[in-house]
Amino acid sequence: MTKSARNPLVLSVYVPSLILMFGYGMLIPILPLYSKTFSASYALIGVVLAADGVGRLVGALPAGGLLGRIGQRSAMVIGVSCVAVSTLMLFWARDVYEVIFYRFAAGIGGSVWNIACHAYLADATAVFHRGRALSIFGGIHRIGTFAGPAVGGALAKYFSLETPFLVYGALATAVVFIAVAKFESEASRGARQVRAGPLKPVLAIFKSHFRELATAGSGQLFAQTIRAGRHVVVPLYAADVIGLDVEAIGWIITISALVDMSLFYPAGHVMDRFGRKFAMVPCFLIQAVAMAAIPFTDSFTGLLLATSLMGMGNGIGAGSMMTLGADLAPGDSMGEFLGAWRLVGDTGHMGAPLVIGGIANLLGLSPATFAIAGFGLLAAGIFAFLVPETLTSRASPDGSPRPE
């Protein structure tokens, strides 16, 4: 990717996304404790923590349709404005139900922002540069959520539990101004404001792209299930089976995240140089092996090795699901398709805790871990044998179509 092609994405997408994910990371250690100040039960605290994800799930399809009506840049502004307002309102929440509502609204706004950024990156990059562009986008999410919790915890310790909400709200407001400024700059230069054309009904999108959503979508569903499942399995196994304390569990998760975070750019290079499958298949195969190894560990070191391997597997596939979705998306209804694509992935992400909890209650934690590993194997198998390679051979090295 040339310098001229790279630079517009930095201020348009990468820096704003890093700011937002850093703010999101600040809330990770805060929200459970903040919810407890309202004398909320564990069940209600769980609802608070799930509300953002539910909002993203509910907002996925409307967000895709919104892109088709108003364009990507306008959708970015609306999405991040929703995040900014709903996060600031947490500072003045009077009960836990308000907190749930504001987190739900933030999830919808986050869905609009992410899908708009996804479509923007897909339009702005050629096919042979897309893997790197979207792996960087995925890597930024990892960096932000890795760095944010420590800052959020420090703000809460030295000021108050509500302070991170003000800081995150201010950061999101700054992103609103960045998005508006970039929008006006592009408009003043006469840059193309991409729209997906007339809004297509949701059912029409699923019907016209049934094959892609049934095969690649199924692979993504299983892929996101194992990705989300590791965040449930690792802490529970470490505490309940091995007997590790919270500090030790934190170190295991942190080191695994560092391994994961270090591989996002190589992942994009592999996707653009060799093909999407060269990243996707090893990603979920390695995660499946690492997940299946967890029940055989009985110490801090053993679990750390397994989770580090899992982090390596996940890092290899950074941005792979977004890249595959962008490759498959039709030009005339990209927003709607990416909304449906995101819905499938978010369903897997939201379903993982339910699957693990249900199997663990019936059979125990180790069988649940093997089941999640099985989902990883299914994802690897689907991408290897049922999904065609989307890095087309009919493109030149600069990403433009080759002559027939």
Side-chain angles (χ1 to χ4, degrees):
M1 187 183 297
T2 65
K3 184 176 180 180
S4 61
R6 241 188 351 250
N7 284 344
L9 300 181
V10 174
L11 285 179
S12 295
V13 177
Y14 294 151
V15 170
S17 294
L18 179 61
I19 293 171
L20 288 177
M21 293 312 299
F22 175 79
Y24 179 85
M26 286 197 299
L27 303 193
I28 292 174
I30 302 304
L31 281 172
L33 302 178
Y34 181 64
S35 301
K36 286 182 70 176
T37 65
F38 297 103
S39 300
S41 65
Y42 285 122
L44 274 176
I45 292 173
V47 174
V48 170
L49 299 180
D52 175 80
V54 174
R56 291 174 185 270
L57 189 67
V58 171
L61 290 177
L66 187 67
L67 263 66
R69 286 185 177 274
I70 67 174
Q72 296 156 1
R73 181 62 66 184
S74 297
M76 288 182 192
V77 173
I78 291 174
V80 73
S81 298
C82 183
V83 172
V85 172
S86 57
T87 303
L88 285 171
M89 291 304 296
L90 287 170
F91 186 84
W92 295 281
R94 293 164 294 182
D95 57 53
V96 71
Y97 299 102
E98 277 193 44
V99 177
I100 292 170
F101 174 77
Y102 295 141
R103 293 304 296 153
F104 177 78
I108 293 176
S111 184
V112 175
W113 168 265
N114 282 320
I115 292 174
C117 287
H118 191 175
Y120 187 90
L121 287 168
D123 273 327
T125 54
V127 65
F128 275 89
H129 301 148
R130 185 175 289 158
R132 275 167 286 181
L134 287 166
S135 67
I136 291 172
F137 187 57
I140 282 171
H141 281 64
R142 288 161 165 81
I143 294 170
T145 53
F146 174 78
V151 176
L155 289 171
K157 179 179 179 180
Y158 292 107
F159 296 97
S160 70
L161 277 174
E162 295 84 1
T163 302
F165 302 139
L166 289 181
V167 175
Y168 184 15
L171 291 173
T173 302
V175 173
V176 174
F177 286 107
I178 292 173
V180 170
K182 289 297 294 180
F183 179 80
E184 291 177 348
S185 173
E186 290 175 4
S188 67
R189 295 196 312 268
R192 184 173 63 105
Q193 302 301 325
V194 181
R195 285 177 169 79
L199 181 64
K200 291 189 176 182
V202 172
L203 289 179
I205 291 295
F206 278 96
K207 183 178 179 180
S208 59
H209 302 287
F210 175 79
R211 182 175 180 180
E212 294 95 331
L213 292 172
T215 53
S218 296
Q220 189 198 190
L221 179 70
F222 296 134
Q224 302 295 16
T225 301
I226 190 171
R227 279 178 158 170
R230 65 200 171 112
H231 297 304
V232 181
V233 166
V234 172
L236 289 177
Y237 187 87
D240 295 347
V241 179
I242 301 179
L244 300 178
D245 60 22
V246 175
E247 183 180 13
I249 297 170
W251 275 111
I252 286 173
I253 294 172
T254 297
I255 293 170
S256 175
L258 275 172
V259 174
D260 186 339
M261 192 172 61
S262 67
L263 293 170
F264 69 86
Y265 190 78
H269 181 76
V270 168
M271 284 190 283
D272 287 342
R273 180 71 181 274
F274 302 105
R276 315 314 192 199
K277 291 190 179 191
F278 283 84
M280 292 187 298
V281 176
C283 167
F284 300 108
L285 184 60
I286 292 172
Q287 286 188 80
V289 171
M291 182 70 74
I294 287 178
F296 299 101
T297 63
D298 59 1
S299 66
F300 174 91
T301 303
L303 186 59
L304 176 61
L305 290 173
T307 55
S308 296
L309 181 63
M310 203 178 304
M312 185 184 76
N314 195 53
I316 290 172
S320 59
M321 294 298 95
M322 289 187 291
T323 303
L324 179 61
D327 288 347
L328 294 173
D332 63 343
S333 54
M334 178 176 288
E336 293 92 328
F337 181 89
L338 291 180
W341 182 254
R342 183 86 185 206
L343 175 66
V344 172
D346 286 346
T347 299
H349 196 273
M350 290 291 295
L354 300 177
V355 172
I356 293 169
I359 297 176
N361 280 339
L362 290 174
L363 303 173
L365 189 56
S366 292
T369 303
F370 288 128
I372 294 297
F375 285 124
L377 288 176
L378 283 172
I382 289 171
F383 292 134
F385 301 112
L386 299 181
V387 178
E389 175 57 59
T390 56
L391 182 66
T392 174
S393 61
R394 294 190 303 132
S396 61
D398 66 355
S400 59
R402 281 182 181 149
E404 295 290 347

